[in-house]
Amino acid sequence: MVAAYLQALLHHDIYISNINENGETEYWKLHTALYGLKQAGHEWYQTLKEILRSAGLERCLGDEGTYVSASGDQIIGTHVDDLIGIAPEENTLDQIEQTIEKTVELEKSGRPTKALGIELSWNNTEVILTQRALIESIHQRHRRSGTKSSLLLDERFFAPRTDEEQAPQKEYQSLIRGLLFIARMTRPEISIHVNLLKR
């Protein structure tokens, strides 16, 4: 969406000051959100929720950034001002777009190839989600010399340490955070193993 936050109406009185070309201070009352206001994200989210509701979509209970039609065959995923729509027929997405464009200006970019660090591969019947680049990045970052990785764990690893001694522990925590994100997003089959490592 184009300048999404500027489309959100404010529900509080907010004034900003400006010095004009004569050196005089002017005070302006804002009617819509500006980027940088602490409530701008919230106001935009409320606006987007109403726009998508008017298009016949309701917020998903399990994910507040996902909206689904009553029939369940139209899904819109949101991240701030980016939307990804999935439906069995393109004309149903066109109708949703038309409803959205009555309120805000859309900037369409076709099928996305990446969203939130997830690579999307499209064909006629499915979308394949992968995180190859992230997995490779984590592998390179935590790679050790030799053939095996060597983040050795023993009782001393979990004992309190000085700042200098905490480097291996922090590296392990960083590795676990990356693996948890991958397991949650695209590789649920590794969840059990990552949870064991996390313990």
Side-chain angles (χ1 to χ4, degrees):
M1 299 196 185
V2 179
Y5 281 13
L6 304 181
Q7 314 294 327
L9 296 175
L10 290 172
H11 295 91
H12 301 89
D13 290 340
I14 298 177
Y15 295 88
I16 60 171
S17 61
N18 181 51
I19 299 175
N20 64 21
E21 58 271 356
N22 299 328
E24 300 166 337
T25 302
E26 298 177 336
Y27 296 94
W28 300 341
K29 181 179 179 181
L30 295 179
H31 296 283
T32 61
L34 288 179
Y35 287 86
L37 287 178
K38 65 181 179 181
Q39 62 269 58
H42 171 75
E43 297 294 356
W44 165 245
Y45 177 73
Q46 296 302 323
T47 302
L48 179 61
K49 184 168 68 170
E50 289 307 314
I51 292 170
L52 293 175
R53 185 172 286 155
S54 69
L57 301 162
E58 288 296 327
R59 192 172 65 186
C60 179
L61 292 176
D63 182 356
E64 294 185 0
T66 303
Y67 293 80
V68 183
S69 65
S71 60
D73 60 350
Q74 298 154 14
I75 302 169
I76 303 287
T78 68
H79 179 69
V80 187
D81 59 353
D82 293 328
L83 306 177
I84 296 177
I86 299 173
E89 296 178 9
E90 197 165 333
N91 65 343
T92 57
L93 287 179
D94 291 340
Q95 292 170 1
I96 294 171
E97 282 178 11
Q98 290 168 8
T99 304
I100 294 171
E101 286 181 322
K102 290 176 185 174
T103 310
V104 295
E105 183 182 347
L106 282 178
E107 184 180 319
K108 301 171 197 168
S109 58
R111 290 182 171 176
T113 56
K114 197 167 192 180
L116 301 174
I118 300 171
E119 294 106 38
L120 293 89
S121 303
W122 301 80
N123 62 35
N124 292 334
T125 58
E126 62 188 3
V127 181
I128 299 170
L129 308 177
T130 60
Q131 288 180 294
R132 287 191 182 109
L134 179 60
I135 293 169
E136 184 62 32
S137 167
I138 289 172
H139 177 258
Q140 292 299 325
R141 194 172 342 126
H142 298 286
R143 191 172 165 173
R144 303 276 190 216
S145 59
T147 56
K148 291 186 178 180
S149 182
S150 58
L151 278 171
L152 298 175
L153 298 183
D154 59 30
E155 291 177 7
R156 292 170 298 163
F157 185 85
F158 299 100
R161 297 166 179 260
T162 64
D163 287 345
E164 297 82 32
E165 295 173 327
Q166 283 186 355
Q169 188 173 7
K170 289 185 185 292
E171 183 180 354
Y172 187 76
Q173 290 169 344
S174 172
L175 173 63
I176 293 300
R177 278 193 299 272
L179 292 173
L180 281 169
F181 180 71
I182 291 166
R184 183 170 169 252
M185 301 305 284
T186 59
R187 300 292 300 271
E189 74 277 9
I190 68 169
S191 296
I192 293 171
H193 306 291
V194 176
N195 282 324
L196 288 171
L197 290 171
K198 186 175 69 167
R199 285 186 211 164

